[in-house]
Amino acid sequence: MKRLPEPELMDQPDQARAYADADFSEPNALFVDLFAAAFPDFAQGLVADLGCGPADIPVRLVDRYPRARVIAVDGAAEMLKLAAEAAARADRRRQIETLHWRIGAEPVPQRLRGAAAGIVSNSLLHHMSDAGALWRAVRDCAAPGAAVLVMDLLRPDSPEYAQSLVDLHAAGAPEILRRDFHNSLLAAYRPDEVATQLRQMELAGLKVEQVSDRHWACWGRI
Ligand SMILES: C[S@@+](CC[C@H](N)C(=O)[O-])C[C@H]1O[C@@H](n2cnc3c(N)ncnc32)[C@H](O)[C@@H]1O
């Protein structure tokens, strides 16, 4: 099935709120478990979360790694507001800083350049109008030997299968969320496409694999 891109930023208040209110505990717990399994030595340092959305993953990361700090980056002011609220609710404001950065359109913020011991990103790649911009951001933020984990949705073979994934995983969810999920599945990349991007960006040392019925993940050290 041909990829159908969707808009980059999630900056509509109702869209951001519906996303923040949704239950992503299963994929987000999977994300943190994958990071822990891929980097058993990781314990502390600065982590950049690219396209952090409402910051559920940053909160889970600092729960798992109490000596880590996260800079939670998003290009949508509306999402960053919700991210700051989530960090405050979890009493993690000292460990989670929010940062406005539209990746690909704005230069790398000085304090992230070559600074991150960990770089994570979930469900951002399929939003990017230029996929290469995400991989450049990963490279630009990485301190030597940085631990990288990028996960995203996987484009199904057909619109019908995409719909069945929506019905399975978002049954009873608000319509706005079901629509966004469906559009995201159609906009997602497949693992072989990601592998090609990694080769083009000279990041072929990162490994990419399917990790659920609707996700791939890519990880390694750079
Ligand atoms: C589907 S959400 C994922 C949020 C979060 N990572 C999660 O797993 O719940 C994608 C997020 O990426 C942000 N985003 C999209 N394009 C971006 C860009 N070019 N630079 C920074 N953030 C971007 C959107 O605003 C949105 O908050």
Side-chain angles (χ1 to χ4, degrees):
M1 177 174 66
K2 198 169 158 343
R3 181 172 177 261
L4 273 181
E6 64 172 351
E8 276 207 339
L9 300 183
M10 295 176 68
D11 51 4
Q12 299 305 311
D14 56 342
Q15 181 189 35
R17 171 54 67 192
Y19 192 87
D21 288 345
D23 179 7
F24 289 111
S25 50
E26 184 212 324
N28 292 357
L30 169 69
F31 187 91
V32 176
D33 286 346
L34 285 171
F35 187 88
F39 307 109
D41 304 340
F42 187 91
Q44 60 186 323
L46 177 65
V47 178
D49 181 359
L50 306 180
C52 65
D56 186 59
I57 286 178
V59 169
R60 287 171 186 271
L61 280 171
V62 296
D63 282 349
R64 178 79 66 109
Y65 300 105
R67 288 186 292 147
R69 275 187 314 120
V70 179
I71 296 190
V73 168
D74 208 283
E78 204 58 41
M79 276 296 192
L80 281 180
K81 210 166 70 188
L82 298 173
E85 285 173 17
R89 247 190 338 270
D91 201 15
R92 294 293 194 178
R93 274 314 261 156
R94 270 179 302 156
Q95 279 167 286
I96 301 174
E97 180 188 343
T98 52
L99 177 68
H100 188 274
W101 174 24
R102 183 160 185 178
I103 298 163
E106 295 164 358
V108 185
Q110 196 54 42
R111 67 178 180 286
L112 276 180
R113 197 175 280 277
I119 299 160
V120 298
S121 179
N122 183 46
S123 276
L124 169 60
L125 185 68
H126 73 270
H127 279 280
M128 301 289 299
S129 54
D130 168 18
L134 172 59
W135 300 117
R136 272 191 294 282
V138 167
R139 271 206 321 237
D140 290 343
C141 294
V148 175
L149 174 64
V150 176
M151 185 168 103
D152 203 349
L153 294 168
L154 189 158
R155 189 170 76 255
D157 289 335
S158 67
E160 294 73 27
Y161 186 48
Q163 191 56 50
S164 72
L165 288 171
V166 174
D167 293 340
L168 180 64
H169 295 291
E175 199 43 44
I176 186 170
L177 205 69
R178 287 171 58 83
R179 189 202 60 208
D180 275 356
F181 183 27
H182 191 256
N183 291 343
S184 293
L185 285 166
L186 304 192
Y189 290 97
R190 299 183 62 85
D192 58 313
E193 295 165 341
V194 176
T196 302
Q197 292 169 14
L198 292 173
R199 276 196 301 278
Q200 285 166 349
M201 301 308 295
E202 297 179 10
L203 288 170
L206 303 183
K207 177 177 172 159
V208 53
E209 266 182 24
Q210 181 165 352
V211 292
S212 85
D213 61 351
R214 60 202 186 286
H215 296 98
W216 54 261
C218 153
W219 65 91
R221 287 197 179 268
I222 49 174

